Amino acid sequence: MVKKLIRHDIRAFARTMLPAEIIVVALGLFCRFIQFFESRTTAYEIAQFSAVGAFVIAILAALFMAFFTGVSRFYKNLFTNEGYLSMTLPVTPAQHILSKTVVSLLYTALTCLVILLSVSLASMGELLFESVKAGNYLIGKLVSLVGGTNFAFWIVEGILLLCVYTVNTYLLWYACLSIGQRAKKNRALAGVGVYFAYYFIRQIFGTFLVIMFTVFAQTELFRSIGYYLDRHPVFTIHTFLIGFTVIYVLFSLLYFAIANRMLSKKLNLE
Amino acid sequence: MSELIRCEHLTKSYNGLIALNNIDLSVESGKIIGLLGPNGSGKTTLIKLINGLLTPTSGEIFINGTRPGVESKKIVAYLPDNNFLNSWMTVEQIVDLYTDFYADFRRELCFEMLSRLGISPSVKLKTLSKGNKEKVCLILVMSRKARLYVLDEPIAGVDPATRDYVISTIINNYDPEASVLISTHLISDVEQVLDDVIFINNGNIVLHKTVDEIRQESGKSVDALFREVFRW
Amino acid sequence: MDWKLDKDRPIVPQICEQMSVRIAKGDFAPDEKLMSVREVAVGAGINPNTVQKAFEELERQGMIYSVRGSGWYVGADFTAAKRAVEDLIFFKTDQYFKAMEALGYDLEATKNYIGRWKA
């Protein structure tokens, strides 16, 4: 059933996202195309500036749209009129949440890839060649320092962390919207309110942690840990990447559980 | 003959307000039942509980022996009071969705009914008139071969000719293994089609009899009795 | 078939009455197959269960009979139907006279009036 939900969600997202992706690629190509007319005239300068400007705006817009679609589709599909259809399908709330999360992640990743591709296309030629050369050199140096395996693992851990972070972001919003829809009026706004309230609480908690950390930093234990980490930078980075991944995974599970509970027991369709 | 709906001491309250008060109800298969009551009587709450959109505060509700959930949703076809169609899909796409998720969906019958009402599959849902949107919703629901149909105000927003069409679709679709629960204000239009009638008021079931029993005992139509019982 | 159904009387007796009138009038041949329960239900805009109950009542009164797996058939003779129509005529006449009495015409005056009636 989840596969069916995913398929329908992909189609729903494609309505807005596919045009966005196409526009990004098109503007990227246009930027490259403009360069064929390179000259020192003001006309060219303006044209190039506009092209690049439009390209950058399109990129930012596409990223924002991916995020916004991911969050708003969850709300629209489950808590508005459409909810009367969605929530009476023979599907569990958990399956709904999973589908939306997966498809949101998919489109976010797709948008990033499309952006990377478009930027490469836009800078095709000298600029790209030099960038790739520089990149290769840096990577080569790093690999010789820490070893190929470590580097490869870092890449994997890094990508995993990015995915988990993205999933975490969406699930947090889903949980907040699910709590917000229990309100009597302005349910979407209430959801946004929950998000900011939580953000506020996190800031306070974060400050508290910083204070604790400063206190902790005076201890011997801290000094010895720091000494060890200093001596084992590779290990440190692995720990950092994996550690944060684990934290985000745990919080994702929490947010998932909250959204699931709200959808199962506390649904408030109007 | 199976028991499609069973409510045992079913209570639902929100914020201290009791919407359904200790309801006991049994609905068998092969019946067309009218759920009649004024606004705020608890009709919508009961319907949402049947469809698993709400959970009971206390008591139990069973749909064909199971609590509302994935299994019950497979056999319950729900036509809500409001338009549940999203705006960007075409008729064909929403039919595809129903085909995908409901094993009991009769796709050919659906297209046949749509064409008989002159609704083309490639049309976008948002371009349909209000009346046509309601017809599409009804056709989607009636194209399922469900065990329990729950129709919330199926004829309220449509013209008299379409009302007749809705009612004859319900009759044509009759299946001794299935039941139809119709919640409506337009009693006099549907009372001929009903087997049983449930009057509900302030979260309580006030009456549960057959149409002929009511007419025999009170000498009135169900509509007239309703007006009497629920007089202000 | 056109059915005229009153909303303030139970449906089953009304179906039975109208069926018996049709049978008595000779709308059907003896042993003719009747419309299915479902067809009658759709035509009259009523519940198939109601039609089923009405047909079972008509069977009980001897006007129609059912053949398993085949459907419902008009009886071989129409005596039961004719008798039912006579009952109906009596009932309607009785009601008529009562109504006339409420208007101030006793039995004699009403009969007199009918005697002079030209349709």
Side-chain angles (χ1 to χ4, degrees):
Chain A
M1 275 298 176
V2 183
K3 274 196 283 208
K4 289 183 191 172
L5 286 174
I6 289 178
R7 204 182 7 204
H8 283 273
D9 277 327
I10 288 180
R11 247 181 260 158
F13 273 66
R15 260 186 70 235
T16 47
M17 290 311 298
L18 238 49
E21 321 283 16
I22 291 173
I23 288 174
V24 168
V25 174
L27 282 174
L29 284 170
F30 183 66
C31 280
R32 182 74 192 87
F33 177 70
I34 279 264
Q35 290 170 36
F36 281 123
F37 300 98
E38 178 145 17
S39 63
R40 290 212 175 276
T41 63
T42 357
Y44 175 73
E45 304 270 295
I46 294 174
Q48 191 198 35
F49 185 75
S50 316
V52 172
F55 183 47
V56 168
I57 290 175
I59 287 176
L60 293 172
L63 282 169
F64 177 73
M65 270 186 62
F67 168 74
F68 186 74
T69 310
V71 171
S72 65
R73 165 126 181 110
F74 179 83
Y75 184 82
K76 267 194 84 195
N77 190 242
L78 301 179
F79 298 132
T80 63
N81 272 359
E82 285 183 46
Y84 279 93
L85 174 56
S86 311
M87 297 307 293
T88 49
L89 293 174
V91 154
T92 64
Q95 288 169 322
H96 277 300
I97 300 169
L98 184 60
S99 169
K100 304 278 186 294
T101 310
V102 165
V103 177
S104 298
L105 175 65
L106 235 63
Y107 270 93
T108 307
L110 176 70
T111 308
C112 290
L113 286 172
V114 164
I115 290 171
L116 240 67
L117 173 72
S118 308
V119 168
S120 311
L121 284 173
S123 54
M124 185 80 72
E126 278 273 330
L127 182 57
L128 186 63
F129 186 64
E130 292 302 319
S131 311
V132 173
K133 252 184 37 186
N136 271 335
Y137 174 73
L138 284 169
I139 291 175
K141 281 226 107 168
L142 194 56
V143 169
S144 63
L145 255 152
V146 300
T149 4
N150 275 316
F151 181 75
F153 267 111
W154 283 351
I155 299 286
V156 169
E157 286 162 13
I159 292 177
L160 186 63
L161 178 59
L162 276 172
C163 289
V164 168
Y165 175 73
T166 310
V167 162
N168 183 287
T169 310
Y170 284 120
L171 279 173
L172 173 56
W173 273 102
Y174 294 168
C176 292
L177 289 174
S178 311
I179 296 174
Q181 59 93 35
R182 301 209 57 210
K184 287 199 181 52
K185 298 198 314 180
N186 298 319
R187 289 144 72 226
L189 225 57
V192 175
V194 172
Y195 179 84
F196 283 111
Y198 182 61
Y199 181 80
F200 183 67
I201 293 172
R202 267 185 310 175
Q203 292 299 95
I204 295 179
F205 192 67
T207 317
F208 177 72
L209 280 180
V210 166
I211 294 172
M212 293 301 294
F213 183 77
T214 328
V215 169
F216 179 64
Q218 312 306 319
T219 61
E220 264 307 310
L221 179 61
F222 180 79
R223 269 182 236 278
S224 32
I225 291 176
Y227 188 64
Y228 180 83
L229 291 180
D230 217 30
R231 298 233 141 192
H232 301 87
V234 171
F235 169 78
T236 309
I237 296 182
H238 278 301
T239 316
F240 181 83
L241 289 171
I242 294 178
F244 269 90
T245 306
V246 168
I247 291 175
Y248 280 128
V249 165
L250 288 174
F251 272 95
S252 299
L253 290 173
L254 173 69
Y255 302 148
F256 188 96
I258 291 174
N260 188 31
R261 173 148 185 95
M262 289 298 127
L263 282 170
S264 311
K265 301 258 187 261
K266 308 281 183 192
L267 191 62
N268 182 31
L269 283 177
E270 280 312 318
Chain B
M1 261 311 200
S2 39
E3 193 176 37
L4 288 176
I5 304 177
R6 176 178 194 76
C7 303
E8 284 172 9
H9 305 308
L10 183 63
T11 304
K12 179 66 185 174
S13 52
Y14 314 91
N15 309 322
L17 192 79
I18 299 179
L20 277 185
N21 186 17
N22 217 349
I23 300 258
D24 290 304
L25 179 64
S26 174
V27 170
E28 285 176 332
S29 55
K31 306 266 179 172
I32 302 179
I33 304 111
L35 183 62
L36 313 176
N39 291 332
S41 54
K43 277 188 307 190
T44 316
T45 305
L46 180 59
I47 287 175
K48 283 185 177 173
L49 281 162
I50 291 171
N51 284 290
L53 296 172
L54 287 175
T55 49
T57 305
S58 69
E60 299 277 11
I61 175 165
F62 297 104
I63 306 296
N64 202 28
T66 62
R67 293 201 178 85
V70 176
E71 287 310 308
S72 75
K73 287 172 186 178
K74 286 181 184 166
I75 58 167
V76 176
Y78 177 36
L79 179 65
D81 192 1
N82 52 345
N83 171 36
F84 59 83
L85 303 172
N86 62 41
S87 45
W88 53 271
M89 279 191 179
T90 63
V91 170
E92 179 151 26
Q93 285 174 325
I94 191 96
V95 172
D96 283 341
L97 192 146
Y98 266 75
T99 315
D100 235 358
F101 283 98
Y102 292 114
D104 62 16
F105 187 70
R106 295 171 288 190
R107 197 181 160 81
E108 290 77 32
L109 176 66
C110 180
F111 279 125
E112 191 196 302
M113 288 202 271
L114 285 168
S115 78
R116 219 180 313 158
L117 287 177
I119 299 173
S120 148
S122 50
V123 153
K124 272 206 200 289
L125 293 171
K126 69 173 161 218
T127 62
L128 290 172
S129 66
K130 177 164 172 282
N132 275 347
K133 276 197 191 121
E134 309 221 7
K135 288 178 194 171
V136 169
C137 289
L138 177 80
I139 288 174
L140 286 169
V141 169
M142 298 312 282
S143 299
R144 283 190 55 197
K145 195 161 173 54
R147 298 292 305 281
L148 178 66
Y149 298 87
V150 180
L151 311 179
D152 197 348
E153 294 293 353
I155 56 174
V158 293
D159 63 77
T162 311
R163 277 183 210 170
D164 288 344
Y165 178 75
V166 170
I167 290 174
S168 56
T169 307
I170 293 171
I171 299 173
N172 258 318
N173 207 33
Y174 172 81
D175 176 359
E177 287 304 305
S179 281
V180 181
L181 181 69
I182 305 177
S183 168
T184 184
H185 292 134
L186 297 171
I187 301 164
S188 100
D189 280 339
V190 302
E191 67 175 278
Q192 285 185 164
V193 153
L194 304 176
D195 280 288
D196 295 358
V197 161
I198 301 173
F199 279 5
I200 182 169
N201 196 20
N202 290 328
N204 294 300
I205 291 181
V206 174
L207 181 152
H208 187 179
K209 291 194 172 135
T210 67
V211 168
D212 271 7
E213 273 170 354
I214 289 176
R215 291 182 177 186
Q216 182 76 34
E217 289 168 20
S218 67
K220 300 186 170 70
S221 66
V222 178
D223 183 61
L225 183 66
F226 181 89
R227 286 164 204 252
E228 202 182 276
V229 168
F230 291 112
R231 203 194 343 240
W232 280 43
Chain C
M1 270 198 198
D2 269 322
W3 302 87
K4 205 174 170 311
L5 296 169
D6 277 334
K7 285 205 191 298
D8 42 15
R9 293 179 56 205
I11 304 175
V12 169
Q14 294 184 61
I15 302 281
C16 288
E17 280 166 21
Q18 293 182 32
M19 273 303 284
S20 41
V21 167
R22 289 196 174 108
I23 294 174
K25 258 171 51 184
D27 280 357
F28 304 102
D31 294 303
E32 185 178 324
K33 189 171 192 304
L34 284 167
M35 287 194 302
S36 72
V37 165
R38 189 179 291 269
E39 282 173 316
V40 174
V42 174
I46 60 178
N47 191 307
N49 285 329
T50 314
V51 179
Q52 180 72 19
K53 284 196 196 123
F55 277 19
E56 281 166 5
E57 176 59 24
L58 287 168
E59 184 181 42
R60 201 187 57 82
Q61 291 181 23
M63 289 184 238
I64 66 177
Y65 62 92
S66 70
V67 174
R68 261 209 115 132
S70 181
W72 293 88
Y73 294 81
V74 178
D77 76 78
F78 299 160
T79 34
K82 292 209 167 90
R83 210 180 323 129
V85 172
E86 272 174 35
D87 285 344
L88 210 59
I89 290 173
F90 176 86
F91 180 71
K92 286 223 187 280
T93 311
D94 186 46
Q95 280 201 314
Y96 170 72
F97 279 117
K98 286 204 174 81
M100 294 308 280
E101 207 173 305
L103 292 175
Y105 262 34
D106 66 6
L107 190 60
E108 278 307 313
T110 312
K111 280 186 182 176
N112 211 321
Y113 186 84
I114 293 176
R116 287 180 279 120
W117 180 263
K118 276 183 176 37

